[in-house]
Amino acid sequence: MKFRTILLFGAPGSGKGTQGKILGTIPGFYHLACGDLFRNLRIDSPLGRVFIDYSSKGQLVPDEPTIELWQQHINAQTQLGRFHPDRDTLVLDGIPRNAPQAHILRDTLDVRALFSLTCADVNKLTERLQRRALRDNRLDDANIEVIRQRLQTYELETRPVLDFYGPEIVHAIDSTKDPLRVLTDILNIIVQRL
Ligand code: ADP
């Protein structure tokens, strides 16, 4: 059985985490941000160290441990009765994050819609990230060089995933609007797709 899924895409700072959290509060929706899974690891665990190593350079963690961590988390949440694959809709943020991950998850996810949060203004993205760095104590948000590298990683590795799913599934959402309007745009499409 595949998981009924909605994907949130967007460059760092585009606001996908904000939208994901809101969507996750709707009954029957289960929000999962891959970056949170990594940040919840102990930093002295083997994978925790790998995460720090890559994320501090603005790079993606290798696919195999990433998918394994994700799968383990989903299995655990299912066992604990927090995620119900038969009736819940998964809201994924940050995974799949490159074409190989999309291929690996092809038989696991039934992707109903992908929202690509767009913001052409790099300065606005950078500003949002630097504000978040202070608020959430995120090292990868603080350094301008790391931010540049993450934006580049997004363009080179993550954007091609939009082609993998194709125009039937992909919806561009203007994320320069305020959160309420971004949410409204997303919900208007979700109600048609589920
Ligand atoms: P962002 O706001 O940059 O999108 P995330 O919290 O989604 O931040 O991710 C933070 C970091 O965690 C990424 O820069 C990357 O190193 C790692 N990461 C998160 N998800 C994945 C993934 N699916 N594959 C590989 N690395 C990931």
Side-chain angles (χ1 to χ4, degrees):
M1 196 196 74
K2 292 189 184 183
F3 303 137
R4 189 170 58 225
T5 304
I6 285 165
L7 299 178
L8 294 174
F9 273 60
S14 62
K16 60 191 158 51
T18 303
Q19 295 299 326
K21 275 191 209 120
I22 302 172
L23 293 171
T25 64
I26 302 172
F29 283 66
Y30 185 88
H31 171 234
L32 181 49
C34 195
D36 288 344
L37 296 186
F38 282 122
R39 278 184 291 277
N40 287 337
L41 293 170
R42 290 178 59 109
I43 53 168
D44 58 355
S45 65
L47 188 53
R49 275 197 287 267
V50 172
F51 166 64
I52 298 287
D53 214 29
Y54 284 89
S55 64
S56 65
K57 299 191 192 97
Q59 295 169 358
L60 299 185
V61 178
D63 297 332
E64 201 185 312
T66 298
I67 299 286
E68 198 180 310
L69 177 71
W70 180 84
Q71 194 78 59
Q72 279 173 0
H73 183 82
I74 285 284
N75 291 348
Q77 295 299 301
T78 307
Q79 300 258 312
L80 288 165
R82 293 182 189 148
F83 170 57
H84 308 96
D86 49 330
R87 55 176 202 260
D88 288 345
T89 299
L90 256 184
V91 179
L92 292 183
D93 155 2
I95 189 164
R97 212 176 176 106
N98 58 20
Q101 291 181 12
H103 277 279
I104 295 169
L105 292 173
R106 194 181 35 202
D107 297 328
T108 308
L109 307 179
D110 168 17
V111 178
R112 298 292 179 90
L114 183 159
F115 296 102
S116 171
L117 275 56
T118 61
C119 175
D121 184 351
V122 174
N123 291 334
K124 190 161 183 162
L125 291 173
T126 309
E127 222 175 80
R128 284 182 180 175
L129 290 174
Q130 291 188 311
R131 244 184 291 137
R132 182 171 79 179
L134 298 173
R135 197 188 58 216
D136 297 349
N137 192 21
R138 276 190 55 170
L139 292 175
D140 58 340
D141 284 340
N143 180 306
I144 191 74
E145 268 317 307
V146 179
I147 290 177
R148 279 202 192 105
Q149 180 57 50
R150 279 159 67 206
L151 292 170
Q152 198 185 356
T153 301
Y154 182 79
E155 288 304 323
L156 292 177
E157 298 191 50
T158 307
R159 192 177 285 286
V161 181
L162 303 184
D163 295 329
F164 177 87
Y165 290 107
E168 276 289 296
I169 299 282
V170 175
H171 304 269
I173 301 286
D174 176 4
S175 75
T176 57
K177 296 185 188 173
D178 59 78
L180 177 64
R181 283 179 174 75
V182 174
L183 179 68
T184 306
D185 291 347
I186 291 175
L187 288 176
N188 277 333
I189 296 167
I190 289 183
V191 290
Q192 296 169 28
R193 293 287 161 155
L194 291 185

